[in-house]
Amino acid sequence: MHTKSRTQWASKLGFVLATAEAAIGLGNLWKFPYLMGKNGGLQFLIAYLVFVVILGVPVMITEMSIGQMTEQSPVNAYRKLNKKASFIGFLGILAAFIILSYYSVIGGWILKYIASYVTTLSAPADFAAYTAEPVEPVVWHFVFMLATCLICYLGTKGIEKASSFMMPVLFLILLVIIVRSVTLPNAGLGLSFIFANTESQFSLSSLSAALGQVFYSLSLCMGITLTYGSYLKKGENIPKSCATVAALDTGAAVMAGIAIFPAVFSFGLEPAQGETLIFGTLPKVFESMQGGPIFAILFFFLMFFAALTSAIALLETVVSFAIDCLHWSRRRAVFIIGALVFLLGVPSALSSGPLGGVTILGYSVFAFMGVLTDNIIMPIGGISMCIFVGWIWGPKHVIDHVEQNSGTFRLKKAWLFCIRILTPILIVIVTVAGFLSVYGHLSGTGA
């Protein structure tokens, strides 16, 4: 059995930092700010915080408990509980594999910007022109995946060391950028947009976006929490650990908004943008700011740390599956899977260039990968997990495990209500909204 020789986190702090770093990724520093910008600021933030409590934490407790209980990767963990449930683990592995393929492309964009600022003290001249190039985006995608593989190769020891360094640095850089951002002229307009917005653009679609963002931001139903939980020593307080991770993750997301929006409003720029907010708009802000190149380098290093730690978690999830189920060595698993992820990501890297004319259901290859994971694979996995734990396998197993390791599970009734009823309903809402979005996109493209 693999449970006897399975590696473990060296300390509780290392586990919490690694799990928090896995959650604090581009979903917080890139996606969260622009979703706030598109959906009215404060109202979106309130909805997001509510969903973190009633959806994010209960699902995290469930996944982490299953991982710690079984000491197995996602597929074997569910198989150990019920052979018919192993497909839930496969969905998590598949989601992690696909997400990492396009996530690494974004990581490559970040590395390109770091290199550009370090060598020329300025951003690439045109983000759209850079992503349309036929070679360079693929090269940086490769470099980012290589860095991810090298750290993952060292196992939990390497992940802990990387997280113990990058987590404090990440928050320190965020604080430095916040101080500079809020001291800019008219920065109060950006803070008002987040915390006191009176011209709300909030709608039902905004509510759905906040709900979906909880999945993306907390890395739910990707197998990450379960995998990291499988390396956790017995006796750790799982609800407390999950609450800590959720608090750090949410704190980073809010801090990112405070770092970005005052600067955007100070220079009279549009907050409701997608990736161009980070790669197009903010470089203009840094260009107009005293000491701009220094803050730009700090900002993109912040983005790099966030992207890298999440990428490591995604790769580790798939690697743990290969080690447990295929009986591969870590070395073989890391570099074969890393190579496959890189190859799958190449079409995404080229989707604004040579493959710009290639579409799937009206989406570019890059966008379709996100639709596939966010709107289909993860919601199906989430609903399946809730049905299995809440109604088939039995929530009593999780409650007993938590109380055995953590003492009294004071919120067990609330957790039980969430897992059995509330969380599945919310996931169905996300799924339906996702399919309506895809349908609307197809109708808009005339497909």
Side-chain angles (χ1 to χ4, degrees), residues 4-18:
K4 293 182 179 179
S5 59
R6 194 167 187 80
T7 58
Q8 293 184 323
W9 302 110
S11 66
K12 179 181 178 180
L13 178 62
F15 159 72
V16 170
L17 290 178

Side-chain angles (χ1 to χ4, degrees), residues 64-75:
M64 196 176 293
S65 297
I66 291 174
Q68 186 188 45
M69 187 187 308
T70 61
E71 298 183 354
Q72 292 289 311
S73 59
V75 175

Side-chain angles (χ1 to χ4, degrees), residues 314-334:
L314 290 165
L315 181 58
E316 178 64 23
T317 298
V318 187
V319 165
S320 70
F321 159 75
I323 292 172
D324 287 351
C325 297
L326 304 179
H327 310 299
W328 288 3
S329 67
R330 174 166 287 273
R331 178 179 180 179
R332 181 183 183 189
V334 167

Side-chain angles (χ1 to χ4, degrees), residues 11 57 86 153 190 328 356 382 396 406:
S11 66
V57 174
S86 59
Y153 173 70
W328 288 3
K396 184 178 184 297
S406 313

Side-chain angles (χ1 to χ4, degrees), residues 50-107:
V50 171
F51 290 138
V52 165
V53 174
I54 66 176
L55 171 65
V57 174
V59 173
M60 284 186 72
I61 290 173
T62 307
E63 290 193 299
M64 196 176 293
S65 297
I66 291 174
Q68 186 188 45
M69 187 187 308
T70 61
E71 298 183 354
Q72 292 289 311
S73 59
V75 175
N76 273 0
Y78 282 104
R79 183 178 291 153
K80 191 173 182 178
L81 304 180
N82 187 317
K83 290 182 179 179
K84 294 181 180 180
S86 59
F87 78 94
I88 303 174
F90 274 113
L91 289 172
I93 298 297
L94 182 61
F97 186 84
I98 295 174
I99 289 170
L100 182 54
S101 72
Y102 67 82
Y103 203 88
S104 176
V105 173
I106 303 171

Side-chain angles (χ1 to χ4, degrees), residues 138-281:
V138 176
V139 172
W140 286 112
H141 163 47
F142 172 80
V143 173
F144 184 85
M145 269 309 303
L146 180 62
T148 303
C149 289
L150 290 175
I151 295 176
C152 193
Y153 173 70
L154 299 174
T156 54
K157 183 178 179 181
I159 296 171
E160 265 189 278
K161 285 187 175 181
S163 298
S164 297
F165 166 74
M166 285 190 276
M167 172 68 93
V169 172
L170 185 150
F171 275 97
L172 179 61
I173 294 175
L174 255 181
L175 285 172
V176 171
I177 295 173
I178 285 173
V179 170
R180 183 66 186 102
S181 184
V182 299
T183 54
L184 291 170
N186 300 316
L189 294 174
L191 295 176
S192 296
F193 179 78
I194 301 173
F195 298 111
N197 188 17
T198 56
E199 298 180 2
S200 174
Q201 301 169 355
F202 196 75
S203 64
L204 286 176
S205 63
S206 303
L207 199 66
S208 176
L211 190 54
Q213 177 62 15
V214 171
F215 266 89
Y216 195 87
S217 181
L218 292 177
S219 302
L220 303 178
C221 300
M222 302 178 192
I224 291 175
T225 306
L226 195 154
T227 300
Y228 276 23
S230 73
Y231 301 138
L232 182 61
K233 296 175 182 177
K234 296 293 192 290
E236 299 292 351
N237 190 315
I238 289 178
K240 184 177 179 181
S241 296
C242 290
T244 302
V245 170
L248 288 171
D249 178 79
T250 303
V254 174
M255 289 174 70
I258 297 173
I260 290 172
F261 286 119
V264 169
F265 275 82
S266 177
F267 290 91
L269 300 172
E270 173 57 49
Q273 301 177 58
E275 64 266 22
T276 53
L277 176 64
I278 300 298
F279 297 101
T281 300

